[in-house]
Amino acid sequence: MTAFTRRAGLGALIGLAATRAQAQGHAHGPIQAEAGWSRAAGAGRVGAGFLTLRNSGAADRLVAARADIARTVELHTHIRDGNVMRMRPVEAIDLPAGETVTLAPGGLHIMLIDLKQALRQGESVPVTLVFEKAGEIQVTLEVQSAGSRGPAAVGGSHRH
Ligand SMILES: [Cu+2]
């Protein structure tokens, strides 16, 4: 947490020095993690984490994620297998220079395997993302209902 606080403070200083147009979101060097969310799920089951990653710097890669709430955390994608979409672990998620990558249902996601506790709607779950160059970034997943398609669908988490 100390490292996170220090990084957040540094981000605030950079934010002040830079244009106010960039004021929204949390700056952590070149990568911003925004709009993290998950879905309600029971203890012992699997959950998924979704979010948007904005990379304003050089190419980087998300190489791992950690979360205390799950015994195993993997990076997953979906692949089409005939008429069925199947999940498959990926070694890393590429973040090309200057691009935005969205982890969303039906695509890339953070898989929370064997939940130690239930993911309850309305709760916030901390997750640590590990990037090849940017290092560790803390994000929070806001837990939506079990069938949610995202925070926008329930009217929360508006960005300006
Ligand atoms: Cu998965």
Side-chain angles (χ1 to χ4, degrees):
M1 272 308 160
T2 307
F4 169 57
T5 306
R6 194 168 61 236
R7 210 172 296 151
L10 180 60
L13 287 174
I14 291 167
L16 284 172
T19 169
R20 291 289 177 145
Q22 292 288 326
Q24 89 283 6
H26 300 280
H28 298 275
I31 295 176
Q32 287 190 49
E34 299 173 352
W37 66 284
S38 185
R39 289 169 172 153
R45 309 294 296 270
V46 296
F50 309 109
L51 73 162
T52 297
L53 297 170
R54 295 179 192 279
N55 182 11
S56 59
D60 204 341
R61 304 195 319 157
L62 175 61
V63 293
R66 294 198 301 268
D68 287 341
I69 200 164
R71 289 192 171 78
T72 304
V73 181
E74 294 179 351
L75 303 175
H76 278 192
T77 190
H78 278 87
I79 52 163
R80 185 171 288 282
D81 180 4
N83 291 325
V84 186
M85 295 299 285
R86 295 185 194 282
M87 296 192 293
R88 179 171 66 88
V90 292
E91 181 186 319
I93 293 174
D94 284 324
L95 281 172
E99 293 202 11
T100 296
V101 174
T102 300
L103 280 60
L108 295 164
H109 55 279
I110 297 163
M111 194 93 250
L112 306 170
I113 298 166
D114 195 2
L115 294 166
K116 296 179 199 169
Q117 308 165 40
L119 290 169
R120 293 192 180 82
Q121 187 174 356
E123 289 184 349
S124 298
V125 178
V127 172
T128 302
L129 304 178
V130 184
F131 295 88
E132 200 168 69
K133 292 174 186 155
E136 296 187 359
I137 293 178
Q138 303 277 340
V139 297
T140 302
L141 307 178
E142 308 293 334
V143 182
Q144 312 291 327
S145 64
S148 177
R149 300 299 298 171
V154 293
S157 288
H158 284 291
R159 292 185 59 246
H160 301 112

